[in-house]
Amino acid sequence: MKAISVGLCILGALSSSFAAPAPKVNAVHHPKLSRPQFRKRNGYSNAVNVTSTAPITSAPKANVWASLSNDEAASVISFLHDQPSLNLTAAQGSGEWDNAILVVDLAHVNKGEAMSYLSGTGPAPDRYAKATISFGATEEPYYQDFYVGPIGGNMTYTSYDWVTTTGTAKIRNYDADYSRQYERWFNLSMEVEDIIQDLLNATVADLDIWGIDPLWHEEGRVINWLTYWRQVDGFDASTLQPQGLFFKWDGTGRDPSGWGLIGWLYNDVYYASTEEFRAAWQAGKIEKATPNMGGDWVTTDKTGPDLPFDTLPPPVQIQPAGQRFAVDEEQKYVEWGDFTFYITFTRDTGLRLFNIKFKNETILYELGLQEAIAHYAGNDPVQSGIGYLDSYYGFGPWSFNLVKGMDCPTYAHFLPATWHADELSKTHPMAICLFESDMGYLMQRHSSSEYVSATKNIGLVVRTVATVGNYDYSFDYTFYHDGSLETTVRASGYIQSAYYSKNDDYGYHIHDGLSGSMHDHVLTFKADFDIMGTANTLAMHSVVPAEVKYSWANATRSTMKLDKKYLENEDQSKIGYDHNGQTMYVVVNKDSVNKFGEQRGYRISPKIGGAHHLTIQESPNLHNAQHFATHPLYVTKQKDTEPNCANPYNNLDTRQPLVDFNKFFDGESLVQEDLVIWANIAMHHVPITGDLPTTTMSFAQGSLVFSPHNYLYHDASRQTAQQIRIRYNNENVTEVETFGAKPMEGMVDLAATAFDLWDYTGDVAVRKFPYDPLNPFNDTVSI
Ligand SMILES: *[C@@H]1O[C@H](CO)[C@@H](O)[C@H](O)[C@H]1NC(C)=O
Ligand SMILES: *[C@@H]1O[C@H](CO)[C@@H](O)[C@H](O)[C@H]1NC(C)=O
Ligand SMILES: *[C@@H]1O[C@H](CO)[C@@H](O)[C@H](O)[C@H]1NC(C)=O
Ligand SMILES: *[C@@H]1O[C@H](CO)[C@@H](O)[C@H](O)[C@H]1NC(C)=O
Ligand SMILES: *[C@@H]1O[C@H](CO)[C@@H](O)[C@H](O)[C@H]1NC(C)=O
Ligand SMILES: *[C@@H]1O[C@H](CO)[C@@H](O)[C@H](O)[C@H]1NC(C)=O
Ligand SMILES: *[C@@H]1O[C@H](CO)[C@@H](O)[C@H](O)[C@H]1NC(C)=O
Ligand SMILES: *[C@@H]1O[C@H](CO)[C@@H](O)[C@H](O)[C@H]1NC(C)=O
Ligand SMILES: *[C@@H]1O[C@H](CO)[C@@H](O)[C@H](O)[C@H]1NC(C)=O
Ligand SMILES: [Cu+2]
């Protein structure tokens, strides 16, 4: 993941003019921009067939969470460049000693304002941006978030302090000179190239150099541990090629004279200087370990003989009557069955859903990813020093286009996603797909000797896939007709592995010179439930063993009962699941009871996967930046000052992160309050030979399901016409009921269900400063 460089990267030609044309800005009802035209101009018209026969709809209200339009982002960037005190350099020409804008995104929209707009009692909230600026023109470089707006009005900017727990939106950047340090590491490696050639059978040019993340702090020094990764031609497999030679580097301060090598490590032996390392090598005292060489085993292509019948076309999904849900393309608003919701997309965490309604009642105000941790362990300083906080790299930039017919059925409805970084607006034309799918098992069935009833389980899936470095995370939000909603994460891609050397306690030996480096994944989701209003309580109804003496029996009996408890306050709201799943966690509204006196609610349950939190509870890498990942589930009171449990730049200084989630817990009452659930999907990943070359999604997955709990008077899926009832009398059918479902008819052009793979595209970029919306260009290099 360190292979992804974050920050200022120089793309395209330098423009000589800084005179940005005054952008046209529309506050909330931003009309379609030039996207369709530029898609056409760039030859993307075939890639996105969203203009087919798909039903369209009109969102009842504008999408107040919509990502900044290109014009809005341009106006924010232009405004910031007009502020002399920021001393900004245009991102395209900037270096490590400049101040430059990194990311511009929509700022948090206050929930109260959004809700009063949705309910028709208030105006649309003004649009404000969150702008992250890297201040490099100083001995103590830092990043700072600013709150900028109102866009389209008289803009001002102010430090975005109130969404942090430190009280300041500034965070020190100890990694400001990455590229200058890389040059030193390269030169240092050249000094020992003869040793590298002997030990690793590689030249320095064959190798990439990267190491721990985040950086380590030791006795006032900023410490990096670096290692070598063999580059692989044609495949992105260098994380399978760790070479087992490490060096410890002092990267403190900005003055290169303060930087330098501290020591070398090879095969678990430490050498305190290059001279010591060289002397040991010359004396033949270095015990060589098995080299880790590339080969076909790192490539994903088909290997081995054909499987029986396997070259024939497999079953495919088709949509015989066209799309059966409606989309408002402009507002990114979707109606499917009795569900409606809005979609947005951010650089930091990718896809987010807002105002998810079922049967015209809000269930969730907000649902989306907050952070993904990948915490490694090992006997070497690099694996032992890695705890990725992936929002630092961002999920937006890495949500590459989906492959039609592979990631999503050919008939899926694709939506573009745009984010604004390094003064470019980038669009993945096909980053999001929505499709109905037969879930492959029935929603319901029942048979007797006289009849059988059965209901298809047709769900709506909203999918994006983010490849953050070596790993691919596939994210699904699946809506079901019974009113439930499932959040699923599946992982694939290349593992980050370790060199095999005395590390059997940290995983398995999975190839010559290769250990599958054990690690935990924790993906944290924010679920802001509103069940019949915002006054909600978390019910914890447990199935508990009991000894009961009944009136109708003399002896007591061992049995079980339902113990109905409720979460009281934030002192109790870091929740651990019991090992046997005996407790139901249900967000209820105690004041909204049904006619039987039962509270209406939505239950939160882990569905797929048995892991829910980090193994390491006090990480020396992540310090105060992992407190949302130590438990399965957390509940806090909703606050506009606590919109996120993590800040993407926490990674820069995990001891003093911008957001320390622990600070959200201050004993406040959680009874009939506006609750936010922070729930984890985790995977303990100890890679095995089956992870070579890439991890398979059949096993690497986890999900959470949110389901109605005494919410309606019966199963909502009874409403679908996609069910049957057959009455029969011994061998003869006497009645067939299809409930108005139209029979399938017509012919399928199978060739039309195949997608032309040559149509797959990269991203489209628009330069922001100077603003150049009429000259988009292709650029798949993310920030
Ligand atoms: C897009 O949809 C239209 C209308 O259904 C259809 O005529 C056209 O062939 C489709 N194009 C592609 C490339 O699938
Ligand atoms: C402004 O930034 C430039 C580098 O881009 C730097 O040389 C200069 O010292 C900075 N000016 C101030 C006043 O900080
Ligand atoms: C914009 O804001 C500035 C600073 O608050 C103020 O001086 C100026 O008069 C405002 N302009 C308008 C058109 O409101
Ligand atoms: C790295 O080595 C090259 C070639 O010797 C030299 O030109 C360059 O200045 C060195 N870079 C650093 C940062 O020492
Ligand atoms: C060194 O690498 C070359 C190919 O780059 C290979 O042919 C050779 O077998 C390797 N030597 C060892 C000792 O692995
Ligand atoms: C949905 O609820 C809104 C109030 O939230 C109401 O104005 C509207 O009439 C309802 N629509 C239907 C179809 O019930
Ligand atoms: C309970 O025990 C008493 C005494 O042995 C007996 O008379 C009575 O019938 C028993 N009651 C029940 C409900 O079994
Ligand atoms: C089933 O239907 C066949 C043909 O209509 C008829 O001959 C037969 O008697 C029926 N059997 C029963 C058990 O009703
Ligand atoms: C972008 O790529 C497409 C497809 O390869 C090509 O047709 C088009 O000319 C490119 N546009 C630019 C601006 O490079
Ligand atoms: Cu993994």
Side-chain angles (χ1 to χ4, degrees):
M1 311 225 183
K2 195 67 195 194
I4 302 169
S5 77
V6 169
L8 313 173
C9 93
I10 293 119
L11 298 160
L14 235 167
S15 169
S16 55
S17 161
F18 273 41
K24 184 168 112 318
V25 174
N26 299 279
V28 170
H29 289 275
H30 31 95
K32 264 206 182 74
L33 297 167
S34 53
R35 194 172 294 139
Q37 289 99 291
F38 80 62
R39 206 189 285 139
K40 199 174 198 165
R41 193 163 46 240
N42 283 332
Y44 290 113
S45 57
N46 292 332
V48 186
N49 199 5
V50 291
T51 57
S52 61
T53 55
I56 53 170
T57 184
S58 204
K61 292 283 178 177
N63 184 342
V64 295
W65 310 277
S67 318
L68 296 183
S69 68
N70 286 355
D71 284 351
E72 287 178 319
S75 77
V76 168
I77 289 167
S78 155
F79 166 78
L80 291 172
H81 274 283
D82 286 345
Q83 310 308 313
S85 60
L86 295 175
N87 189 21
L88 291 177
T89 298
Q92 309 171 31
S94 69
E96 291 166 339
W97 278 87
D98 296 315
N99 299 345
I101 299 169
L102 292 176
V103 178
V104 177
D105 222 326
L106 186 75
H108 171 72
V109 179
N110 284 346
K111 183 174 175 182
E113 284 180 51
M115 287 183 57
S116 64
Y117 168 66
L118 292 176
S119 67
T121 58
D126 283 336
R127 303 266 291 169
Y128 279 85
K130 177 184 88 160
T132 305
I133 297 179
S134 168
F135 289 89
T138 160
E139 286 295 337
E140 302 210 329
Y142 60 95
Y143 283 9
Q144 187 170 4
D145 286 341
F146 292 92
Y147 188 72
V148 189
I151 301 170
N154 192 9
M155 284 203 268
T156 58
Y157 72 103
T158 174
S159 184
Y160 201 4
D161 296 336
W162 58 94
V163 293
T164 70
T165 56
T166 51
T168 170
K170 278 187 192 184
I171 190 160
R172 237 338 224 109
N173 177 12
Y174 295 100
D175 203 11
D177 299 290
Y178 180 82
S179 59
R180 283 194 304 154
Q181 296 206 22
Y182 192 94
E183 197 182 329
R184 292 277 300 274
W185 306 335
F186 183 85
N187 284 6
L188 171 70
S189 307
M190 291 305 291
E191 284 176 35
V192 294
E193 191 169 35
D194 49 353
I195 311 181
I196 285 175
Q197 248 161 354
D198 179 46
L199 297 180
L200 311 183
N201 192 10
T203 64
V204 172
D206 296 333
L207 304 171
D208 196 3
I209 308 168
W210 51 272
I212 61 169
D213 181 5
L215 293 179
W216 190 263
H217 294 256
E218 198 173 275
E219 292 159 5
R221 309 303 291 174
V222 178
I223 300 300
N224 205 343
W225 269 103
L226 286 310
T227 191
Y228 297 95
W229 304 82
R230 193 179 290 269
Q231 319 217 44
V232 177
D233 282 345
F235 285 86
D236 187 34
S238 67
T239 58
L240 291 184
Q241 299 282 283
Q243 297 298 305
L245 175 61
F246 306 88
F247 63 91
K248 187 177 181 181
W249 179 260
D250 185 338
T252 312
R254 302 213 69 185
D255 178 358
S257 67
W259 304 337
L261 177 88
I262 299 175
W264 292 91
L265 179 77
Y266 178 76
N267 209 0
D268 215 21
V269 180
Y270 181 74
Y271 307 91
S273 65
T274 301
E275 295 69 38
E276 207 179 289
F277 181 42
R278 179 170 290 284
W281 175 67
Q282 276 168 345
K285 287 191 185 144
I286 294 185
E287 184 200 340
K288 278 197 215 176
T290 318
N292 176 15
M293 304 294 292
D296 285 349
W297 66 278
V298 307
T299 73
T300 46
D301 288 351
K302 180 181 185 300
T303 54
D306 288 343
L307 296 168
F309 313 113
D310 184 48
T311 57
L312 300 173
V316 287
Q317 286 177 283
I318 56 165
Q319 187 170 257
Q323 184 175 309
R324 306 192 318 149
F325 58 94
V327 179
D328 178 336
E329 289 272 328
E330 191 181 312
Q331 298 298 335
K332 302 238 182 347
Y333 169 79
V334 180
E335 296 174 347
W336 174 80
D338 269 342
F339 278 103
T340 61
F341 55 93
Y342 291 83
I343 288 174
T344 189
F345 189 86
T346 73
R347 177 269 172 203
D348 296 344
T349 54
L351 181 75
R352 309 193 72 71
L353 304 183
F354 277 92
N355 200 29
I356 300 171
K357 286 187 165 191
F358 181 57
K359 295 193 181 291
N360 202 32
E361 295 287 355
T362 301
I363 302 296
L364 285 147
Y365 171 77
E366 179 181 2
L367 177 62
L369 181 73
Q370 287 285 307
E371 185 56 282
I373 288 178
H375 200 303
Y376 289 75
N379 74 332
D380 76 55
V382 168
Q383 299 300 331
S384 160
I386 288 180
Y388 294 119
L389 294 163
D390 279 339
S391 74
Y392 173 69
Y393 299 103
F395 289 84
W398 310 104
S399 296
F400 292 109
N401 284 336
L402 298 166
V403 184
K404 221 174 177 182
M406 297 299 279
D407 283 308
C408 324
T410 324
Y411 59 74
H413 189 124
F414 290 85
L415 291 175
T418 295
W419 80 103
H420 315 282
D422 286 343
E423 299 182 358
L424 288 174
S425 292
K426 293 266 203 88
T427 299
H428 307 285
M430 295 174 65
I432 302 167
C433 74
L434 294 92
F435 58 94
E436 266 195 309
S437 183
D438 187 321
M439 302 312 290
Y441 59 97
L442 290 178
M443 176 63 84
Q444 170 278 346
R445 77 177 314 295
H446 184 65
S447 304
S448 78
S449 56
E450 290 170 346
Y451 79 101
V452 55
S453 80
T455 308
K456 287 198 179 200
N457 184 5
I458 305 296
L460 178 77
V461 180
V462 183
R463 177 171 293 168
T464 52
V465 179
T467 304
V468 189
N470 50 311
Y471 263 136
D472 299 57
Y473 289 113
S474 166
F475 298 100
D476 281 5
Y477 296 98
T478 307
F479 295 82
Y480 297 91
H481 279 303
D482 66 355
S484 59
L485 165 53
E486 185 172 4
T487 299
T488 312
V489 179
R490 300 187 178 90
S492 188
Y494 286 103
I495 58 166
Q496 176 185 294
S497 56
Y499 186 67
Y500 180 68
S501 165
K502 305 183 169 78
N503 46 2
D504 292 296
D505 289 344
Y506 298 93
Y508 298 109
H509 185 186
I510 58 172
H511 203 270
D512 306 333
L514 192 70
S515 161
S517 181
M518 65 188 284
H519 56 278
D520 280 349
H521 297 275
V522 180
L523 297 106
T524 305
F525 288 83
K526 176 182 184 183
D528 180 347
F529 279 93
D530 288 341
I531 302 298
M532 306 308 292
T534 54
N536 291 170
T537 305
L538 187 77
M540 298 181 295
H541 292 176
S542 300
V543 179
V544 293
E547 289 295 318
V548 178
K549 167 87 180 69
Y550 298 99
S551 65
W552 41 264
N554 279 334
T556 62
R557 291 191 187 190
S558 288
T559 181
M560 57 187 176
K561 282 186 165 179
L562 189 61
D563 178 27
K564 296 177 182 169
K565 287 202 172 72
Y566 295 86
L567 186 65
E568 295 289 334
N569 59 52
E570 288 181 347
D571 291 336
Q572 314 159 350
S573 68
K574 295 179 177 175
I575 295 171
Y577 299 145
D578 63 69
H579 72 95
N580 194 31
Q582 287 171 211
T583 304
M584 295 180 284
Y585 300 94
V586 190
V587 180
V588 298
N589 185 332
K590 286 182 152 183
D591 299 327
S592 176
V593 293
N594 69 13
K595 67 184 176 194
F596 308 117
E598 299 293 353
Q599 297 150 353
R600 298 177 67 179
Y602 255 71
R603 178 177 171 187
I604 302 157
S605 3
K607 184 168 154 188
I608 302 171
H612 311 293
H613 62 80
L614 285 174
T615 306
I616 304 169
Q617 293 279 303
E618 300 276 346
S619 165
N621 304 323
L622 297 180
H623 296 283
N624 297 315
Q626 66 150 23
H627 292 142
F628 45 81
T630 54
H631 293 70
L633 195 74
Y634 304 82
V635 188
T636 62
K637 185 174 161 180
Q638 192 280 333
K639 288 184 184 154
D640 287 320
T641 52
E642 296 175 353
N644 304 112
C645 68
N647 180 293
Y649 306 108
N650 281 355
N651 179 68
L652 293 176
D653 190 356
T654 55
R655 295 160 311 159
Q656 287 109 34
L658 289 163
V659 177
D660 175 351
F661 185 56
N662 263 356
K663 304 254 162 70
F664 287 20
F665 297 82
D666 43 13
E668 276 178 288
S669 169
L670 296 175
V671 178
Q672 292 300 90
E673 295 288 351
D674 189 357
L675 304 186
V676 177
I677 307 291
W678 312 84
N680 287 321
I681 293 176
M683 298 171 209
H684 303 299
H685 193 178
V686 184
I688 50 172
T689 51
D691 285 286
L692 299 177
T694 43
T695 297
T696 54
M697 297 201 212
S698 61
F699 182 74
Q701 55 177 303
S703 81
L704 283 164
V705 66
F706 308 136
S707 52
H709 198 82
N710 295 324
Y711 184 77
L712 301 170
Y713 285 108
H714 65 5
D715 159 28
S717 77
R718 295 306 78 233
Q719 212 175 331
T720 177
Q722 299 307 321
Q723 58 175 305
I724 55 98
R725 180 169 46 72
I726 302 166
R727 284 203 182 275
Y728 64 104
N729 172 6
N730 294 327
E731 72 256 42
N732 291 347
V733 170
T734 58
E735 186 192 355
V736 167
E737 178 58 79
T738 56
F739 305 102
K742 298 205 167 65
M744 257 185 275
E745 56 187 18
M747 310 281 286
V748 178
D749 177 0
L750 283 174
T753 68
F755 176 62
D756 181 357
L757 298 171
W758 290 96
D759 271 1
Y760 188 77
T761 63
D763 297 336
V764 179
V766 176
R767 197 171 309 288
K768 280 283 119 57
F769 194 80
Y771 190 34
D772 197 3
L774 297 177
N775 288 298
F777 55 95
N778 296 334
D779 179 8
T780 302
V781 181
S782 289
I783 58 167

mmCIF file of all heavy atoms in Angstrom, residues 9 82 87 112 269 534 658 670 677 693:
data_model
loop_
_atom_site.group_PDB
_atom_site.id
_atom_site.type_symbol
_atom_site.label_atom_id
_atom_site.label_comp_id
_atom_site.label_asym_id
_atom_site.label_seq_id
_atom_site.Cartn_x
_atom_site.Cartn_y
_atom_site.Cartn_z
ATOM 1 N N CYS A 9 1.266 14.819 -6.697
ATOM 2 C CA CYS A 9 1.929 14.196 -7.803
ATOM 3 C C CYS A 9 1.630 14.985 -9.044
ATOM 4 O O CYS A 9 0.612 15.628 -9.173
ATOM 5 C CB CYS A 9 1.649 12.713 -7.885
ATOM 6 S SG CYS A 9 0.330 12.243 -8.899
ATOM 7 N N ASP A 82 -7.019 32.528 -3.947
ATOM 8 C CA ASP A 82 -7.072 33.987 -3.769
ATOM 9 C C ASP A 82 -6.718 34.417 -2.349
ATOM 10 O O ASP A 82 -6.720 35.613 -2.055
ATOM 11 C CB ASP A 82 -8.493 34.498 -4.084
ATOM 12 C CG ASP A 82 -8.769 34.489 -5.578
ATOM 13 O OD1 ASP A 82 -7.795 34.378 -6.358
ATOM 14 O OD2 ASP A 82 -9.954 34.568 -5.965
ATOM 15 N N ASN A 87 -0.820 31.057 0.977
ATOM 16 C CA ASN A 87 0.423 30.959 0.206
ATOM 17 C C ASN A 87 0.453 29.690 -0.649
ATOM 18 O O ASN A 87 1.416 28.918 -0.617
ATOM 19 C CB ASN A 87 1.621 31.005 1.180
ATOM 20 C CG ASN A 87 2.952 31.135 0.451
ATOM 21 O OD1 ASN A 87 3.014 31.574 -0.697
ATOM 22 N ND2 ASN A 87 4.029 30.736 1.117
ATOM 23 N N GLY A 112 -29.610 18.118 11.266
ATOM 24 C CA GLY A 112 -30.842 18.856 11.535
ATOM 25 C C GLY A 112 -31.269 19.681 10.332
ATOM 26 O O GLY A 112 -32.450 19.705 9.961
ATOM 27 N N VAL A 269 19.239 -11.337 11.680
ATOM 28 C CA VAL A 269 20.486 -10.845 12.293
ATOM 29 C C VAL A 269 20.584 -9.352 11.999
ATOM 30 O O VAL A 269 20.401 -8.918 10.852
ATOM 31 C CB VAL A 269 21.723 -11.580 11.733
ATOM 32 C CG1 VAL A 269 23.001 -11.039 12.382
ATOM 33 C CG2 VAL A 269 21.593 -13.085 11.959
ATOM 34 N N THR A 534 -36.121 10.259 15.453
ATOM 35 C CA THR A 534 -34.740 10.162 15.910
ATOM 36 C C THR A 534 -34.622 9.703 17.361
ATOM 37 O O THR A 534 -33.523 9.418 17.821
ATOM 38 C CB THR A 534 -34.004 11.511 15.750
ATOM 39 O OG1 THR A 534 -34.762 12.506 16.406
ATOM 40 C CG2 THR A 534 -33.828 11.875 14.291
ATOM 41 N N LEU A 658 -6.456 13.304 14.620
ATOM 42 C CA LEU A 658 -7.469 14.364 14.567
ATOM 43 C C LEU A 658 -8.763 13.925 15.225
ATOM 44 O O LEU A 658 -9.445 14.713 15.864
ATOM 45 C CB LEU A 658 -7.735 14.750 13.104
ATOM 46 C CG LEU A 658 -6.599 15.517 12.431
ATOM 47 C CD1 LEU A 658 -6.747 15.489 10.921
ATOM 48 C CD2 LEU A 658 -6.553 16.950 12.950
ATOM 49 N N LEU A 670 -28.281 7.339 26.362
ATOM 50 C CA LEU A 670 -28.612 6.830 25.027
ATOM 51 C C LEU A 670 -30.049 6.322 24.990
ATOM 52 O O LEU A 670 -30.416 5.525 24.135
ATOM 53 C CB LEU A 670 -27.629 5.719 24.635
ATOM 54 C CG LEU A 670 -26.170 6.157 24.484
ATOM 55 C CD1 LEU A 670 -25.268 4.960 24.225
ATOM 56 C CD2 LEU A 670 -26.005 7.188 23.369
ATOM 57 N N ILE A 677 -24.905 3.966 15.229
ATOM 58 C CA ILE A 677 -24.258 2.667 15.448
ATOM 59 C C ILE A 677 -22.984 2.657 14.599
ATOM 60 O O ILE A 677 -23.000 3.044 13.431
ATOM 61 C CB ILE A 677 -25.172 1.520 14.958
ATOM 62 C CG1 ILE A 677 -26.572 1.614 15.566
ATOM 63 C CG2 ILE A 677 -24.517 0.164 15.191
ATOM 64 C CD1 ILE A 677 -26.679 1.348 17.020
ATOM 65 N N PRO A 693 -2.403 -17.047 -6.355
ATOM 66 C CA PRO A 693 -1.786 -15.728 -6.335
ATOM 67 C C PRO A 693 -2.622 -14.658 -5.628
ATOM 68 O O PRO A 693 -2.071 -13.695 -5.130
ATOM 69 C CB PRO A 693 -1.649 -15.397 -7.826
ATOM 70 C CG PRO A 693 -2.782 -16.152 -8.460
ATOM 71 C CD PRO A 693 -2.943 -17.407 -7.666
#
